Amino acid sequence: MQATAVSSDPTVAEAGKRVLVVDDHPVFRHGICQYLGQVSDITVCAEADNAQHALEAMRHHQPDMVLMDVALPGTNGIELIKHMLAERPTLIILMLSMYDEALYALRALRAGAKGYVMKQQAMENILDALRKVSSGGIYVSPQFSEKLIFKTIAGSTGALGSPVEKLSDRQLEVLQLFGRNKSTREISELLNLSAKTIETHRSHIKEKLGFKDADELMDFALEWMTTQEG
């Protein structure tokens, strides 16, 4: 789908904070839009299903906030945060994901997002989260707040539990795509990077995670993504 405008009536747009919803699952995306459509202080101005359409929607509809899934086709949500904030530094971004908060929330916050909501708890927490970040706050679950406190106490070397935390954002993105059984050529096309760059990322991932060879890395990637995506 192309980026879709939900409301183009200026009088409606002024009813509340304008939100762009970005998620590649249409049923979930439409459900969130319908839910937020009942709220007086929030207006869904557009929706998109991938990074390219999200950037187009941001430029055209000028939202105040973006509600974005971490897992998107091609460029993922973490990288999309960086692209959006490079163009709109004051844009408020709230991440929404089925993926492990312990691994992705801190990355999202470091990239510039103002909060992270698990999809399993979306309908319970999404409104509170949007209102909190729109007023200048940060939103994460109480459980993750505790983990961050313990990590701070332990120092920068304290891990939150997964060896994958050693990877950079781009390396994690490449690992995810290998875990979806994508080839080096497919990944290079999806991320608009050379095949040589993808091979370099794979080599660094292998070294950081301590695997002997590429086959061992691929086995891990496939199993890890199966676990992540349920």
Side-chain angles (χ1 to χ4, degrees), residues 181-222:
N181 213 22
K182 300 293 185 183
S183 67
T184 297
R185 181 182 59 78
E186 290 172 322
I187 296 173
S188 69
E189 292 174 354
L190 283 168
L191 301 183
N192 196 29
L193 298 171
S194 70
K196 183 177 180 181
T197 298
I198 301 304
E199 292 289 354
T200 298
H201 283 311
R202 182 169 67 177
S203 177
H204 290 161
I205 293 167
K206 181 167 62 71
E207 291 173 6
K208 286 186 177 182
L209 298 185
F211 295 122
K212 297 189 297 293
D213 53 41
D215 288 340
E216 194 173 85
L217 169 60
M218 287 301 297
D219 289 342
F220 170 82
L222 291 166

Side-chain angles (χ1 to χ4, degrees), residues 56-72:
E56 292 169 359
M58 178 193 72
R59 293 161 184 156
H60 183 72
H61 297 284
Q62 296 293 304
D64 302 301
M65 297 188 287
V66 178
L67 179 61
M68 183 198 307
D69 192 2
V70 166
L72 294 171

Side-chain angles (χ1 to χ4, degrees), residues 68-72 75-84 93 95 103-113 116 168-170 172-173 176:
M68 183 198 307
D69 192 2
V70 166
L72 294 171
T75 300
N76 69 16
I78 302 296
E79 294 300 318
L80 182 54
I81 293 172
K82 300 171 186 176
H83 292 315
M84 285 186 158
I93 300 175
M95 302 305 289
L103 177 59
Y104 289 91
L106 188 55
R107 291 175 183 271
L109 296 175
R110 284 173 174 163
Y116 192 100
S168 70
D169 292 339
R170 181 65 86 185
L172 181 63
E173 186 174 29
Q176 288 175 320

Side-chain angles (χ1 to χ4, degrees), residues 100-121:
D100 185 2
E101 187 179 37
L103 177 59
Y104 289 91
L106 188 55
R107 291 175 183 271
L109 296 175
R110 284 173 174 163
K114 299 302 182 184
Y116 192 100
V117 178
M118 294 293 290
K119 278 189 173 180
Q120 298 91 320
Q121 304 162 340

